[in-house]
Structures are given as C-alpha cells and as structure tokens.
Amino acid sequence: MNPDVTQHAGDPPPVLRLEEVSKSFGPVNVIDRVSIDVRPGRVQALLGENGAGKSTLIKMMAGVHQPDGGRILIDGQPTVLPSTRSAENHGIATIHQELNLVPTMTVAENVMLGRTPRRFGMVNFTHLRRQARAALDLIGVDVSLNTEVGSLGIARQQMVEIAKALSMNARMLILDEPTAALTGREIDQLFRVVDDLKARGVAMVFISHHLDEIARIGDTVSVLRDGKFIAELPADTGEDELVRLMVGRSIDNQYPRVAPEIGEPLLEVSNLSAAGRFSDISLSVRAGEVVGLAGLVGAGRTEVVRGIAGVDPVDSGEVKVNGKRLRTHDIAAAIAAGIGHVPEDRKAQGLVPDASISENLGLATMAPTARLGLVDRRGQLRRSTEVAQKLRIRMADIGQPIRDLSGGNQQKAVFGRWVLAGSKVLLLDEPTRGVDVGAKVEIYNIINDITAAGGAVLMVSSELPEVLGMADRILVMSGGRIAGELPAAGSTQDDVMSLAVSQVESSITEKAEAELEKEGR
C-alpha cells in the first residue's frame, strides 16, 4: 500500500480499496502499484495530468479494466470486477468524461438505459417515466422526458448522464470530469447534490482539472504522475503545491500570453445573421491577435464560430479571409481559405476515434496533397510525425488509434491538424475543456506560436480567467448579439459578466414593461 495512504482514527472503513494495482497496455505501463481508498460519505479527488492514469484507475473501479497486478477490495473483501454490470451490482455507478447516451432515444429512456422496467413482457412506460422524473428532480433538471437526447445541448446531456447514474441508488459514485460542460449555476446544483449524497453516506471519486472545484467539493486528493502515486493530501491544499506535485515542476505563469506585433485584419465578419441563433455579428481579427469571444451558455458563441467555419448555414452577411469574400456554408472553401476550426466537442466533431493519430492529423491535408487522386500516405505519415513531435503529443506510436490518447493529447492532435494544414485563421471553441493545467499551458504556447507566425485566433471560452489571460481583446455576446468589446488588459470578470447579462436583462425588462402595458389597458 502507498506509504502516504493511511487510515486515521475515526475514518470509516473504505467501500472500495485499490491495493497496489498495476496495469499495462502492450509495452506501456500506465498504472504502477497504486493504492486508493474510497470511503463512505467522503469525496476522494484524483488529480494528475492527462495521461497520468486517472481514467485507467477509475475504469478498474468500474469493471472496464482488470488490474494486471494488485487487487480490488470491496467492504474489505477481495473482489473481481469482470464487467461494468458486475460493478453496478456492487453499487458502483460511473459518469464518464465522454457521454454515454443514445441520441435517438428519449431523456426518460436514457436515464433508465439498461434497466427498463417491464410489465407482462412489455415496457412499463408509466414506471419508466416515474423513475426517470425522480432522478432528474434530484438534480433539479427541468426537461421533458419525451425529448430526444440528441436535440439537447451538451450541458443538458451531461445532466441527463448524471441523473442516469444517480437513478441506480449507487453506494459509490465515480464522477469523471462531470462539470466540464456545465454552467456555474448547473455546477452549483450538482455540488448541492454531491453534498446531499455525502450526508447520506455515498462514497465518491471525483476527477476535475479545475483545482478550485477540488478544494470546494473534495475531502482528500490523491495525486498521480506518469501512472505512479505521488501523494495523498487534504483537498484544500494550496493550488501551487498541487500543480507542483502533478506536473513535477512549478508553473509560474498559467496564462503565458506573448503579445506579438499586430498586423492587418485576416478575418473580417460583417453583419452575419442566422435566424434563431445570432444576429448582426460584425468582428475582425488581425494577424498576430487573439480575440476572445465570451458570454453565457446559449449566447450564440458556438453558433457564430460554426457559421464562420462553414459548418452551419447563415441567412445573411459575409465572411472575408485576407480580404477575399468566402462562400458561406462551405467547409472545404473555409479550409482552402486558411480557416481551421477546433470544435467544442472534440469526440463527436473533431476526431475520428477509430482512425490513427496520423490519419486524424492529416484529415485537412489529405485531398490537397493527393497525387493523381491517390492519398500520399508516405508524405502524410512523415508530415504528421513531424507535427506530433513538434506539439509533444504523448503517444506510443503515430499509427495507434487516437481514442487511446488522453484528452489533452487528443486536443493537441486537433490543433496539429490545422498546424499541418498551414491555417492562418484558427477558430477555437473551448480549446482547453477537459485538459489539465500542464497541457493547458502547452496549448497556450501553441496559440502563441500561431500568432507569432502571423496567424489570427478567435477563441470561445467559458473560463473567464482564460479569456482575460490569453486574449488581446474580448468581444462579449449576449442574446445572440455582440453586447460590447473590452481590452483584456485591465478588464475584470465582473466587467465581462456585466456585458454578458445585458441583453438578458434588457429582454426581461421589455417583457415586464409589455405586461404592465397590457395590464394598464
């Protein structure tokens, strides 16, 4: 057992213990003799860089992977968890980082997925809806049970995933980046549920790259680095110390923005509108510049970026790159013009999970580099290897499936695609979501390299410190419109939020005045 993992007087015995567990995939040893205790009524946080072994560790707890060495104990008894169903039978429920929902099924069906109540051999829809509603009410989600999950935004899909896990009445809950796609209000609601579950004696494992969340909700934190146990500490340990333990060095500047020389506009957007999504968007991004696009969830930021990238149709307005008008709703034309798009959901929109790292890096350059209609495989392999090494993507081999990489390394591969394509305008939508602090700094340095080479970056982020730390200017959206512009230097989170809620408050005022006018009549 790890020497730092000790049971203190008064500690309840663990629901689950990983004792000296190890795990290898081929020649790669991803977990090396790690011990973790998960106790009832406690939140055990796991902290480490992408690739440190956190996901593999919780997959052992969830029955996805079996340890090659060491053992798993449940209630003190050595136990084998050969499957996820076996783990669930022991009361262990998991909310994975990547959502595990069926888009074409309803909310109610997804909440009860795999546990559909039946009567006389038929689905008991009354019972199904009742149980699903109870789970959703537990976390305060007001959504129609008959809505197809695929029509919901990422934040609401995440809440359905959480309700699905809670509906199992689990005695141990594993939360892998559960807040990555949630708003502040939704996170508060989730943490209230976590507090309630703690009070009821539920044991929890919590993974987050947001150190303030670990201090807010955790009891203890186990730090991993390169598959090894480093330390177990109180969750309120100072962030600088946690970062030092996690990455093996101090990070003095978490937002290392280097302001290069600003040039002429590379991206110009004029009066861009799409009914029901955004209206009259005008902006420009100059060579060497990072422009942040901030706002509340639902303000239209992602929709604007997708419209510029040619992913979604627009009703009016124009986009120019380097002074040349771009044909809208044409992804190929956008790529040819030098636009690269790093989407919000890398798994669903940015990657081909079963394809290799090399193939994913080369997706944007496959057609332009083809010879006589044939893919230049040798050239693609050489170029993708060079980019992977330049971006320090941690991998066993350039030919391995990209799904095997950690989230941070997958995200660097999405960036690498556009580095390989020589894109001069990068549209980044939540570029560091689900990425640890060490990988974040590496991604920020990639952004600096792009702007230093004369590129332009338009960056959507829900993390205000990131926007303030990495942008040169900030455009704030509210209600599908640009509510105002701020210089990043000297602006505060309160300044951004004041603009972010302006259209919302205006809309509420207009509705109230209309109601008063109606009553006056």
Side-chain angles (χ1 to χ4, degrees), residues 301-415:
R301 299 166 303 165
T302 291
E303 290 79 3
V304 167
V305 166
R306 288 172 62 87
I308 296 171
V311 178
D312 295 334
V314 298
D315 298 323
S316 59
E318 67 177 19
V319 177
K320 289 182 179 179
V321 178
N322 243 343
K324 296 180 180 179
R325 183 167 182 171
L326 183 66
R327 189 166 59 251
T328 58
H329 198 203
D330 189 330
I331 296 174
I335 293 172
I339 289 179
H341 177 212
V342 176
E344 178 184 25
D345 186 346
R346 65 173 170 263
K347 180 184 177 185
Q349 301 165 353
L351 298 170
V352 181
D354 292 330
S356 69
I357 299 166
S358 176
E359 289 166 335
N360 272 275
L361 284 167
L363 284 176
T365 51
M366 193 176 297
T369 59
R371 297 176 179 176
L372 302 175
L374 299 176
V375 174
D376 177 20
R377 294 189 180 277
R378 183 176 297 177
Q380 287 279 40
L381 183 63
R382 174 179 52 79
R383 290 186 292 270
S384 62
T385 300
E386 289 173 358
V387 168
Q389 291 172 347
K390 178 181 178 182
L391 300 186
R392 295 194 294 276
I393 296 174
R394 295 184 186 179
M395 58 186 180
D397 182 82
I398 193 74
Q400 75 180 107
I402 201 162
R403 66 168 181 270
D404 293 345
L405 298 185
S406 66
N409 285 295
Q410 288 180 356
Q411 190 73 330
K412 284 196 283 185
V414 179
F415 270 82

Side-chain angles (χ1 to χ4, degrees), residues 45-60:
L46 294 182
L47 188 63
E49 291 189 276
N50 291 109
K54 304 184 300 298
S55 292
T56 301
L57 210 61
I58 63 172
K59 285 178 180 177
M60 288 188 200

Side-chain angles (χ1 to χ4, degrees), residues 498-520:
S498 293
L499 286 172
V501 301
S502 60
Q503 294 293 330
V504 177
E505 291 175 344
S506 175
S507 176
I508 292 171
T509 301
E510 287 174 5
K511 287 180 181 177
E513 289 174 349
E515 289 297 324
L516 287 172
E517 187 177 338
K518 205 179 289 183
E519 289 175 10

Side-chain angles (χ1 to χ4, degrees), residues 438-501:
K440 280 184 179 182
V441 173
E442 292 181 346
I443 286 172
Y444 297 149
N445 285 326
I446 294 171
I447 292 172
N448 283 333
D449 290 343
I450 290 165
T451 55
V457 173
L458 180 64
M459 181 180 73
V460 171
S461 177
S462 297
E463 294 189 33
L464 293 184
E466 179 172 81
V467 175
L468 292 164
M470 285 304 296
D472 302 304
R473 288 186 293 125
I474 302 169
L475 301 174
V476 184
M477 288 192 66
S478 179
R481 296 176 178 271
I482 293 179
E485 178 180 326
L486 296 167
S491 295
T492 66
Q493 294 189 41
D494 288 342
D495 295 332
V496 176
M497 288 305 297
S498 293
L499 286 172
V501 301

Side-chain angles (χ1 to χ4, degrees), residues 16-195:
L16 179 144
R17 169 177 288 171
L18 297 181
E19 189 174 277
E20 295 281 329
V21 295
S22 297
K23 183 67 180 178
S24 297
F25 295 102
V28 181
N29 188 18
V30 293
I31 295 292
D32 185 15
R33 292 174 297 174
V34 171
S35 297
I36 299 287
D37 286 343
V38 188
R39 302 182 188 277
R42 306 283 177 84
V43 174
Q44 175 68 45
L46 294 182
L47 188 63
E49 291 189 276
N50 291 109
K54 304 184 300 298
S55 292
T56 301
L57 210 61
I58 63 172
K59 285 178 180 177
M60 288 188 200
M61 300 177 186
V64 177
H65 296 320
Q66 284 68 53
D68 299 327
R71 59 181 185 167
I72 299 172
L73 295 94
I74 295 179
D75 297 324
Q77 299 300 312
T79 306
V80 176
L81 298 176
S83 66
T84 56
R85 180 57 61 90
S86 174
E88 289 172 1
N89 289 340
H90 283 283
I92 301 169
T94 305
I95 302 164
H96 292 289
Q97 182 177 352
E98 305 293 356
L99 300 183
N100 189 23
L101 301 171
V102 181
T104 56
M105 295 177 71
T106 67
V107 168
E109 290 167 334
N110 270 281
V111 170
M112 300 303 297
L113 198 62
R115 295 167 291 114
T116 304
R118 296 183 179 274
R119 182 178 173 84
F120 306 123
M122 306 288 287
V123 174
N124 186 337
F125 285 103
T126 300
H127 197 192
L128 180 144
R129 291 191 184 96
R130 185 184 302 123
Q131 288 182 297
R133 183 76 271 162
L136 291 163
D137 287 345
L138 183 63
I139 54 175
V141 178
D142 183 18
V143 61
S144 171
L145 296 175
N146 297 321
T147 301
E148 283 192 1
V149 160
S151 68
L152 299 176
I154 290 177
R156 287 206 158 193
Q157 288 187 27
Q158 178 72 77
M159 296 303 275
V160 170
E161 184 77 77
I162 292 166
K164 174 183 164 187
L166 295 179
S167 70
M168 300 177 189
N169 294 317
R171 58 197 291 252
M172 176 176 153
L173 190 62
I174 301 170
L175 302 117
D176 185 8
E177 292 282 352
T179 64
L182 304 185
T183 65
R185 182 173 56 81
E186 290 164 337
I187 290 171
D188 289 340
Q189 178 62 40
L190 171 63
F191 285 175
R192 283 194 291 272
V193 172
V194 170
D195 286 336

